[in-house]
Amino acid sequence: MSQREHAPQSVPVVAVVLAAGFGTRFDPDNPKQLVSVGGKPIVCWSIEAFDSNPRVSDVIVVVNPAVRDAVERLVDRAGYPKVRMIVDGGRERVDSTMAALDALAAAGIPADAKILIHDSVRPFVERESVDGCIDALDEFDAATVALASTDTILLTQDRDGREIVSRVPDRPHTFRAQTPQAFRFATIRRAYERAAVDPSFHPTDDTRVVVDYLPATPVAVVAGSESNLKITTLADMPLAERIAAARLGEPTAAATTAATAVPAVPSDMAKEEARARMHAMLAQAAAQLH
Amino acid sequence: MSQREHAPQSVPVVAVVLAAGFGTRFDPDNPKQLVSVGGKPIVCWSIEAFDSNPRVSDVIVVVNPAVRDAVERLVDRAGYPKVRMIVDGGRERVDSTMAALDALAAAGIPADAKILIHDSVRPFVERESVDGCIDALDEFDAATVALASTDTILLTQDRDGREIVSRVPDRPHTFRAQTPQAFRFATIRRAYERAAVDPSFHPTDDTRVVVDYLPATPVAVVAGSESNLKITTLADMPLAERIAAARLGEPTAAATTAATAVPAVPSDMAKEEARARMHAMLAQAAAQLH
């Protein structure tokens, strides 16, 4: 497996799991990061994606007052060995990112630490995407997981209350952003410092903070996957349940998300089979949405 | 129903159904527009979406040599009253659009005719979207069906073989293009004429031809729907089958996609008018050939 070929990591690799959203659209008593998929709370899937990755050294979880107790209990019970802090976030996503960066700064994290910022409501991020971010930061100071758009994207402007197409970018150069979004600590810190003094600052995406406020810093694209879906509404749950079932049922998937090693030769075959099965399940699940 | 409230249409409303693709990824012997969904070939769903719409006056279908016989047989058997021509397309999507525009010009179609260009592999376009295009052309010379993006979109540039994020547009101003894309005939014709003399011309989208070559012409966005999916691979089929089943099972949906939705007498009158118009168009076209 690829991590075996890497030299021991010289810098911390810190995952920031953002679980401070208030989304209660499909369960008023239960913000969606606490809803269970495949019998496990969504936030736990997300924490495990990083906690179980041998290349990740530390995990911090950002919460709000409504979920803090529940998340603390879940983390205690599971005993995730790499969860160092549970930090209070803010009202907006960017406030939560900033709270995490402040906490990391206060903890004395080095400027060249690799920071992976992840939405907790993307519970099924692939191991390859996380590793891809960590690798990309050897070459770039910023990177984001994203999926090539299969649709032509239209950029629009509002004109008298109606959207008018202003530009049609080349399709091969249009991507749907996913997470994690990954940065050297000094880079994301500097971008947020510059953004903070701009009164018109209102980004909804960490990559955008770098693109807008550190335009000379290239942000590399790391391959995402369809299964790295964002759970937003009830309509996303059947597909999420299918993916969870596939992950739980597959020895290979379990092995790649656990620290235990996978034997080289049969693992590749199993992986192919698993992928094929996953595709079939995704297709079936998509069908059930309607 | 809304069309009853409209004044009689003063200009032809012509749907161009593009069925000239060669996609055989999920059945080597059967291009995907001929594959059946809900027991009906995909191309028939698309033709019916327009043929059964009382506000559409004419339908032309663009084919390739591999599917011409099959499409002709399907059209003959179904007896779609508004299908006037089955035109040979070209290798690329734009070649097929141009072939259709040439055929319409040869038929003497007026400059202010409303042209709705539709991908045949989007079989489930909603009646509301088609009507929305027709209405939008009263205010604008171009319009396209599109769906607001729920993901943040990243625009990228290639740098040494790696995609680098160049811009993160505001999410409320990012849309996924669907079809139909709708234009006054003179507008789309002029855009293609200008594009044709540009050696770097290689668009994959009709809206883009207008945005790029007639930048002063605003293109309005018309609301699309998740069900207006593009069938691209086998993975799209289960969802497509679900939508087809829902449509077939719903009396309202069935009525709007069947000719029976139109009261007998007006329908016969409309048929007669359509035939007369076709004869006029063909006569004009024939005259121009001599």
Side-chain angles (χ1 to χ4, degrees):
Chain A
M1 284 173 74
S2 65
Q3 76 276 12
R4 301 258 174 97
E5 292 151 20
H6 286 264
Q9 284 158 10
S10 50
V11 300
V13 174
V14 182
V16 173
V17 176
L18 298 176
F22 284 92
T24 52
R25 265 191 282 181
F26 53 89
D27 184 351
D29 299 325
N30 218 4
K32 63 188 170 185
Q33 59 272 43
L34 299 180
V35 169
S36 281
V37 182
K40 188 192 290 186
I42 288 170
V43 67
C44 292
W45 283 97
S46 293
I47 292 172
E48 286 175 26
F50 297 93
D51 192 76
S52 70
N53 185 321
R55 300 181 64 193
V56 173
S57 57
D58 308 274
V59 177
I60 80 172
V61 185
V62 184
V63 296
N64 62 42
V67 303
R68 175 176 268 281
D69 286 352
V71 170
E72 279 180 350
R73 266 198 311 275
L74 289 169
V75 168
D76 281 350
R77 201 181 308 154
Y80 300 121
K82 295 178 189 168
V83 176
R84 311 281 174 232
M85 291 190 262
I86 297 178
V87 177
D88 284 318
R91 252 183 68 82
E92 302 291 328
R93 190 182 188 291
V94 291
D95 302 321
S96 295
T97 299
M98 282 199 283
L101 297 178
D102 287 346
L104 290 171
I109 196 161
D112 60 353
K114 296 178 176 183
I115 313 296
L116 313 180
I117 304 175
H118 186 67
D119 285 337
S120 66
V121 290
R122 292 192 187 268
F124 306 118
V125 57
E126 307 276 357
R127 172 70 182 271
E128 287 78 3
S129 297
V130 174
D131 288 351
C133 282
I134 298 170
D135 289 336
L137 290 182
D138 288 336
E139 244 189 287
F140 298 90
D141 289 335
T144 180
V145 175
L147 196 59
S149 176
T150 50
D151 292 309
T152 295
I153 298 297
L154 309 175
L155 306 186
T156 65
Q157 288 176 332
D158 180 90
R159 185 192 290 192
D160 304 330
R162 179 133 202 175
E163 292 300 315
I164 299 294
V165 180
S166 56
R167 200 180 137 208
V168 187
D170 281 335
R171 194 167 60 189
H173 292 137
T174 56
F175 286 77
R176 294 155 55 196
Q178 297 186 336
T179 68
Q181 303 194 336
F183 314 90
R184 292 283 185 172
F185 181 61
T187 301
I188 188 68
R189 188 81 171 142
R190 201 177 325 123
Y192 267 92
E193 277 164 8
R194 292 198 186 175
V197 297
D198 178 354
S200 65
F201 175 59
H202 55 80
T204 55
D205 184 275
D206 297 310
T207 290
R208 184 166 180 182
V209 181
V210 171
V211 170
D212 284 4
Y213 294 96
L214 297 176
T217 300
V219 182
V221 171
V222 171
S225 65
E226 286 289 351
S227 59
N228 185 17
L229 85 165
K230 185 173 184 169
I231 299 181
T232 308
T233 68
L234 251 188
D236 299 317
M237 290 302 280
L239 176 56
E241 288 290 359
R242 285 286 174 154
I243 298 171
R247 291 283 170 95
L248 293 169
E250 279 168 25
T252 330
T256 51
T257 56
T260 53
V262 179
V265 180
S267 134
D268 284 344
M269 277 176 59
K271 250 187 177 171
E272 275 311 304
E273 277 171 29
R275 277 209 190 92
R277 190 141 26 109
M278 177 74 84
H279 278 291
M281 279 176 149
L282 284 173
Q284 252 183 306
Q288 290 194 344
L289 290 178
H290 288 262
Chain B
M1 283 166 70
S2 67
Q3 75 277 9
R4 301 257 173 97
E5 292 150 22
H6 285 264
Q9 283 158 11
S10 52
V11 300
V13 175
V14 182
V16 174
V17 176
L18 297 176
F22 285 93
T24 52
R25 266 194 280 180
F26 53 90
D27 184 350
D29 298 326
N30 217 5
K32 62 188 171 186
Q33 60 271 45
L34 299 181
V35 170
S36 280
V37 182
K40 188 192 290 186
I42 288 170
V43 67
C44 291
W45 284 96
S46 293
I47 292 171
E48 286 174 27
F50 298 93
D51 193 76
S52 69
N53 184 320
R55 300 182 65 195
V56 172
S57 58
D58 310 272
V59 177
I60 81 173
V61 185
V62 184
V63 296
N64 63 42
V67 302
R68 175 176 266 281
D69 286 352
V71 170
E72 279 181 350
R73 266 198 312 276
L74 290 168
V75 169
D76 281 350
R77 203 181 305 154
Y80 299 121
K82 296 176 188 169
V83 175
R84 312 282 173 236
M85 292 190 260
I86 297 178
V87 177
D88 285 318
R91 251 183 69 83
E92 303 290 329
R93 189 182 188 290
V94 291
D95 300 322
S96 295
T97 299
M98 281 200 280
L101 297 178
D102 287 345
L104 290 171
I109 195 158
D112 60 353
K114 295 178 176 183
I115 313 296
L116 313 180
I117 304 176
H118 187 66
D119 285 336
S120 66
V121 290
R122 292 193 187 269
F124 306 118
V125 58
E126 306 279 354
R127 171 68 182 274
E128 288 78 4
S129 297
V130 174
D131 288 351
C133 283
I134 298 170
D135 289 336
L137 290 182
D138 289 335
E139 244 189 285
F140 297 89
D141 288 335
T144 181
V145 175
L147 196 59
S149 177
T150 50
D151 292 311
T152 295
I153 298 297
L154 309 175
L155 305 185
T156 65
Q157 288 177 332
D158 180 272
R159 186 192 289 192
D160 304 329
R162 179 133 203 175
E163 293 300 316
I164 300 294
V165 179
S166 55
R167 200 182 136 206
V168 186
D170 282 335
R171 194 166 61 188
H173 292 137
T174 56
F175 285 78
R176 293 155 55 197
Q178 297 186 336
T179 68
Q181 304 194 337
F183 313 90
R184 293 282 184 173
F185 181 61
T187 301
I188 188 67
R189 189 81 171 141
R190 199 176 328 120
Y192 266 92
E193 275 164 11
R194 291 199 187 174
V197 296
D198 177 354
S200 64
F201 175 59
H202 55 81
T204 55
D205 184 274
D206 297 310
T207 290
R208 182 164 182 184
V209 181
V210 171
V211 170
D212 283 5
Y213 294 96
L214 297 176
T217 301
V219 181
V221 170
V222 171
S225 65
E226 285 290 352
S227 58
N228 186 17
L229 84 166
K230 185 171 185 172
I231 299 180
T232 309
T233 68
L234 248 190
D236 299 317
M237 290 302 281
L239 176 54
E241 289 289 359
R242 286 284 174 156
I243 299 171
R247 291 284 169 95
L248 294 170
E250 279 167 25
T252 336
T256 54
T257 56
T260 52
V262 182
V265 177
S267 143
D268 286 341
M269 279 176 58
K271 254 186 181 174
E272 277 311 308
E273 274 170 30
R275 272 199 200 102
R277 188 132 32 103
M278 173 186 66
H279 281 296
M281 274 170 85
L282 289 176
Q284 253 182 309
Q288 288 188 352
L289 292 176
H290 292 276

